[in-house]
């Protein structure tokens, strides 16, 4: 009570940071500083930029299924293979990311280590609860932050440097940051879940582990599943981009077609890529809406 | 309360029937899981050599030698390269390598992300209202408002669908592909990176914000409209201030991702830290490459921290 009274009397300094004008000013200053420190137009502009761009845009209306190279071969088999590789790499990476991310997510949630103190304060085991467990938690979270802070493309390049070029490197490269992202988000979702069921189980005499597994996990399941579906879109995009550094996904086809100025061919690949990405996005959107309704 | 066993079972069954445990969801989750499992068999993992059948997946000896910072490398009598720790040599090397990027390299990477997210926010601000159902599909904000003729309603729905599909297209295409396409026109300049990040993130920002606009409590809007405020006034005074905070939360969330994505634009020769990383790999300077990657991940971690700090402050205020 006294605390509430105090905070009502004392002007809340923190809230000044979120006033529209303060934040607008900060963002404006940051923008001006960024703009002035950056040479936006550089000297790298190609001389025939407009010509090539017009060619590229006009090719949008006439995508082709036979190659523009002198061989004039059929594009369809290669296209199908590229699409399959893109999707399969995304799925394989997701299977790793979900399973390891789930374990890491549980381990990185406060609920796992301190369920009972979250449900109600338990005076016992002070040292473990005050010092050891928070330290462990910080350690796990720092480890995940390090995994996540390196982009999947750089993991992929690093993987190729270490193990040589194979699809497995691409899958692992996608999986590493995704494991960490899943871990972080799953942990957040678990910590945001209502403790009512866990508390009820506690009253029935359940231990910490049972409280976590039967009281919290099922309660958080729908939002975790929803995030998983959303993340699949991202992994599909990343898997396509892996092509730009040489993995046989759709990005590779786009990259080589544009590099050879085969713009009509490039548009075929681009249309297929858009189709795949937009369809997945729409399907996962429908599923996620259903999940929200279920929750 | 007094129920016998049969009655209780029946009650449970009735509850189960009522619960919207969704067949479609169950089915698609099962398909998703089986696709995950099947992908491992359908892919050629490339673990063994196609002709000799020997394992190809092992650590390349060259990498082990080259990842040691080069002043620390020592050759033994068999010609193998080992690392020998010497702090002076190491820090000298670290200083020299840092001088290659310097603060200007860091500032460049961060600047691109800041410009991109601000541009994205400006574009998104214009796209949010046409893409949110409760604003775009209604003529006024009062529940009793006349919705106009069939053509009017159709026109509004058409505009709404157009805004939605623009957003879908913007966000479905990865920023890297946007940048690659812009490269044809602009070449590898910072502007291409800024525009690419801005396009993708404008789509995401506008979509997320329009979702929270749709979730707004309608009564204050009704009150404003009932006092005679027009549609523009209600949007500016009723929707804006309440959607603004959520918009900021998404703004900082996307900024964190922007910093992370800016680096990879270096692979397209846009001048960010990623360019240094890419060059180091191209010259097999793995020691430098790992150093630059670590610098980059430090930037990302600091950005993550600042972003989540800002988000927490906004949520609490």
């Amino acid at each position: 009570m006294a605390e509430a009274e105090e905070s009502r009397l004392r002007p809340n300094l923190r809230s000044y940071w979120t006033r529209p004008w303060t934040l607008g000013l900060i963002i404006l200053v940051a923008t001006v500083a960024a703009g002035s420190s950056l040479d936006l137009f550089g000297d790298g502009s190609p001389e025939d930029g407009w010509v090539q761009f017009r060619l590229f845009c006009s090719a949008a209306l006439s995508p082709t299924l036979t190659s523009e190279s002198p061989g004039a071969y059929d594009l369809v088999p290669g296209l199908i293979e590229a699409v399959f590789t893109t999707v399969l790499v995304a799925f394989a990476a997701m299977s790793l990311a979900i399973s390891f991310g789930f374990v890491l997510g549980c381990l990185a949630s406060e609920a796992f280590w301190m369920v009972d103190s979250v449900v109600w304060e338990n005076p016992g085991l002070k040292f473990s609860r005050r010092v050891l467990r928070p330290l462990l938690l910080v350690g796990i979270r720092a480890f995940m932050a390090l995994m996540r802070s390196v982009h999947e493309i750089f993991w992929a390049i690093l993987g190729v440097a270490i193990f040589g070029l194979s699809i497995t490197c691409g899958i692992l490269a996608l999986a590493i940051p995704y494991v960490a992202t899943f871990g972080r988000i799953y942990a957040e979702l678990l910590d945001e879940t209502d403790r009512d069921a866990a508390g009820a189980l506690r009253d029935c005499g359940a231990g910490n582990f049972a409280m976590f597994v039967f009281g919290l996990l099922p309660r958080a399941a729908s939002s975790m599943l929803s995030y998983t579906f959303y993340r699949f879109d991202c992994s599909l995009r990343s898997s396509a981009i892996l092509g730009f550094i040489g993995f046989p996904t759709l990005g590779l086809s786009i990259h080589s077609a544009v590099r050879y100025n085969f713009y009509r061919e490039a548009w075929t690949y681009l249309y297929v890529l858009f189709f795949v990405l937009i369809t997945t996005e729409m399907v996962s959107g429908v599923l996620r809406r259903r999940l929200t309704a279920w929750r | 309360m007094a129920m016998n066993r049969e009655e209780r079972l029946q009650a449970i069954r009735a509850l189960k029937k009522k619960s919207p445990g969704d067949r479609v969801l169950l089915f698609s989750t099962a398909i998703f899981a089986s696709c995950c499992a099947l992908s491992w068999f359908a892919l050629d993992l490339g673990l063994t050599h196609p002709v000799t059948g020997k394992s190809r997946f092992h650590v390349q000896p060259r990498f082990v030698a080259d990842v040691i910072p080069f002043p620390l490398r020592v050759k033994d009598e068999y010609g193998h390269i080992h690392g020998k720790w010497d702090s002076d040599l190491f820090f000298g090397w670290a200083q020299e390598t840092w001088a290659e990027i310097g603060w200007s390299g860091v500032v460049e990477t961060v600047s691109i992300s800041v410009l991109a997210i601000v541009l994205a926010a400006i574009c998104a601000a214009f796209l949010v209202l046409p893409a949110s159902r409760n604003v775009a599909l209604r003529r006024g904000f009062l529940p009793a408002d006349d919705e106009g003729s069939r053509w009017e309603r159709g026109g509004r729905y058409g505009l709404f669908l157009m805004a939605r599909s623009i957003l879908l297209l913007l966000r479905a295409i990865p920023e890297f592909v946007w940048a690659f396409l812009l490269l044809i026109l602009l070449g590898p300049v910072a502007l291409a990176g800024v525009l690419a990040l801005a396009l993708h993130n404008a789509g995401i920002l506008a979509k997320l914000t329009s979702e929270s606009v749709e979730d707004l409590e309608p009564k204050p809007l009704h009150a404003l409209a009932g006092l005679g405020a027009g549609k523009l006034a209600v949007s500016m005074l009723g929707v804006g201030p309440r959607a603004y905070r959520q918009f900021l939360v998404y703004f900082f969330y996307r900024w964190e991702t922007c910093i992370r994505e800016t680096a990879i634009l270096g692979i397209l020769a846009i001048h960010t830290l990623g360019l240094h990383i890419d060059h180091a790999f191209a010259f097999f300077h793995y020691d430098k490459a790992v150093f630059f990657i670590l610098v980059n991940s430090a930037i990302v971690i600091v950005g993550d921290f600042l972003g989540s700090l800002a988000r927490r402050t906004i949520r609490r205020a």
Side-chain angles (χ1 to χ4, degrees):
Chain A
M1 267 293 99
E3 207 173 302
E5 188 72 8
E6 196 189 351
S7 75
R8 195 173 61 78
L9 292 175
R10 197 182 50 207
N12 189 357
L13 283 178
R14 214 189 268 131
S15 71
Y16 283 109
W17 291 103
T18 56
R19 298 275 161 86
W21 290 111
T22 330
L23 260 179
L25 200 68
I26 292 175
I27 292 172
L28 188 74
V29 168
T31 313
V32 170
S36 60
S37 73
L38 209 60
D39 183 11
L40 270 181
F41 300 96
D43 49 0
S45 291
E47 283 166 23
D48 58 344
W50 272 112
V51 180
Q52 291 296 332
F53 191 65
R54 270 212 298 279
L55 280 177
F56 177 74
C57 289
S58 59
L61 295 176
S62 54
T64 171
L65 283 177
T66 46
S67 171
E68 286 180 83
S69 67
Y73 54 88
D74 194 9
L75 286 184
V76 179
L79 186 61
I80 292 174
E81 205 178 321
V83 172
F84 263 94
T85 316
T86 311
V87 176
L88 290 176
V89 166
F91 270 121
M94 279 303 273
S95 62
L96 283 181
I98 293 170
S99 33
F100 287 99
F102 179 72
V103 175
L104 262 185
C106 292
L107 291 181
S109 69
E110 275 172 36
F112 183 79
W113 297 104
M114 290 171 257
V115 174
D116 49 355
S117 72
V118 173
V119 174
W120 64 52
E121 191 59 47
N122 186 339
L125 290 174
K126 257 192 190 152
F127 181 69
S128 160
R129 190 154 289 121
R130 292 269 156 78
V131 183
L132 273 186
R133 293 182 188 192
L135 270 183
L136 206 60
L137 212 58
V138 167
I140 293 172
R141 285 183 181 175
F143 175 64
M144 293 201 310
L146 197 66
M147 279 163 85
R148 205 178 53 238
S149 66
V150 178
H151 199 277
E152 50 262 27
I153 298 272
F154 293 140
W155 279 122
I157 301 181
L158 205 59
V160 169
I162 299 176
F163 296 114
L165 184 64
S166 66
I167 291 270
T168 317
C169 286
I171 296 172
L172 288 179
L174 271 191
I176 293 171
Y178 278 58
V179 164
T181 315
F182 270 127
R184 180 190 180 186
I185 301 290
Y186 282 168
E188 276 175 16
L189 291 176
L190 279 172
D191 283 339
E192 282 166 14
T193 310
D194 284 339
R195 306 295 155 121
D196 46 3
L201 282 179
R202 163 113 193 172
D203 293 344
C204 297
N208 284 349
F209 190 71
M211 263 159 69
F212 184 79
V213 173
F214 300 108
L216 276 183
L217 280 183
R219 205 100 168 68
S222 70
S223 42
M224 281 159 87
L225 193 61
S226 166
Y227 186 76
T228 312
F229 284 138
Y230 161 70
R231 207 62 203 167
F232 180 66
D233 300 348
C234 303
S235 93
L236 207 53
R237 280 200 283 268
S238 304
S239 139
I241 286 176
L242 279 183
F244 284 87
I245 55 168
F247 289 91
T249 60
L250 267 171
L252 181 62
S253 322
I254 296 171
H255 187 263
S256 44
V258 170
R259 278 283 166 263
Y260 286 117
N261 293 12
F262 297 160
Y263 292 144
R264 292 174 56 205
E265 207 179 299
W267 272 105
T268 315
Y269 296 128
L270 281 172
Y271 282 135
V272 172
L273 179 69
F274 298 166
F275 174 74
V276 171
L277 292 180
I278 289 177
T279 321
T280 333
E281 175 110 21
M282 283 165 81
V283 170
S284 81
V286 169
L287 291 180
R288 266 148 29 91
R289 265 196 296 286
R290 271 174 179 272
L291 271 172
T292 332
W294 177 42
R295 204 184 307 153
Chain B
M1 281 311 279
M3 271 174 150
N4 62 26
R5 193 181 132 78
E6 202 50 43
E7 275 172 345
R8 257 183 308 190
L9 279 179
Q10 248 173 14
I12 289 173
R13 241 175 264 138
L15 272 179
K16 267 197 178 158
K17 229 177 229 170
K18 255 199 270 175
S19 94
D22 195 321
R23 287 249 167 104
V24 178
L25 268 178
L26 204 66
F27 190 62
S28 29
T29 312
I31 286 186
F32 186 83
S34 41
C35 281
C36 281
L38 280 178
S39 63
W40 290 98
F41 300 101
L43 274 174
D44 172 23
L45 292 175
L47 291 177
T48 52
H49 194 277
V51 181
T52 59
K54 277 185 193 156
S55 166
R56 242 178 26 171
F57 199 77
H58 49 78
V59 176
Q60 310 280 317
R62 171 162 203 177
F63 179 83
V64 181
D66 284 358
V67 83
I68 302 166
F70 76 88
L72 305 184
R73 286 176 209 157
V74 200
K75 228 178 215 173
D76 64 10
E77 63 260 44
Y78 305 108
H80 297 305
I81 291 173
H82 297 284
K84 188 165 172 291
W85 177 253
D86 182 327
S87 54
D88 286 345
L89 284 178
F90 175 76
F91 286 115
W93 169 82
Q95 237 164 18
E96 251 172 58
T97 319
W98 167 253
E100 270 181 44
I101 38 173
W103 285 109
S104 67
V106 176
V107 168
E108 242 166 342
T109 305
V110 177
S111 298
I112 289 182
S113 74
V114 169
L115 282 189
I117 195 65
V118 170
L119 193 59
I122 293 170
C123 297
F126 286 102
L127 284 167
V128 167
L129 292 182
S132 34
R133 253 187 209 94
N134 53 351
V135 180
L137 292 184
R138 309 285 311 272
R139 185 196 242 173
F141 281 94
L142 282 177
D145 264 342
D146 174 28
E147 288 301 323
S149 69
R150 181 195 280 174
W151 293 109
E152 236 176 286
R153 271 179 289 158
R156 276 202 293 269
Y157 200 73
L159 276 179
F160 165 74
L161 276 189
M162 212 168 75
R164 274 288 165 107
S165 22
I166 290 174
L167 293 191
L168 185 62
L169 193 70
L170 284 179
R171 69 173 192 273
I173 301 172
E175 48 273 78
F176 196 81
V177 173
W178 276 122
F180 185 71
L181 299 182
L182 284 168
L183 229 55
I184 300 172
L185 175 65
L186 298 170
V189 294
L191 184 64
V194 171
L195 283 180
L197 285 170
L199 284 172
H200 180 71
N201 285 298
I204 295 183
L205 272 179
K207 196 238 172 183
L208 290 174
T209 317
S210 74
E211 270 174 10
S212 57
V213 167
E214 283 175 4
D215 288 343
L216 283 181
E217 171 75 21
K219 276 177 188 154
L221 306 182
H222 293 169
L224 266 178
L227 287 171
K231 192 164 183 180
L232 186 72
V234 177
S235 312
M236 290 296 112
L237 303 171
V239 175
R242 285 194 299 154
Y244 154 82
R245 182 173 293 177
Q246 204 54 38
F247 183 68
L248 276 181
V249 170
Y250 295 138
F251 175 87
F252 283 108
Y253 155 63
R254 285 318 295 180
W255 179 60
E256 290 166 32
T257 358
C258 261
I259 294 187
R260 192 164 174 274
E261 300 285 334
T262 311
I264 59 159
L265 297 178
I267 291 174
L268 298 175
I270 294 171
H271 210 277
T272 65
L273 262 178
L275 186 65
H276 294 276
I277 299 175
D278 199 41
H279 279 183
F281 272 114
F283 290 115
F284 299 106
H285 293 161
Y286 293 141
D287 46 351
K288 273 190 196 172
V290 170
F291 183 85
F292 292 148
I293 286 181
L294 287 178
V295 171
N296 187 53
S297 79
I299 297 176
V300 173
I301 288 176
V302 171
D304 263 12
F305 176 72
L306 288 181
S308 57
L309 191 72
R311 282 190 287 156
R312 223 175 310 141
T313 318
I314 293 164
R315 281 224 186 90
R316 256 193 226 149

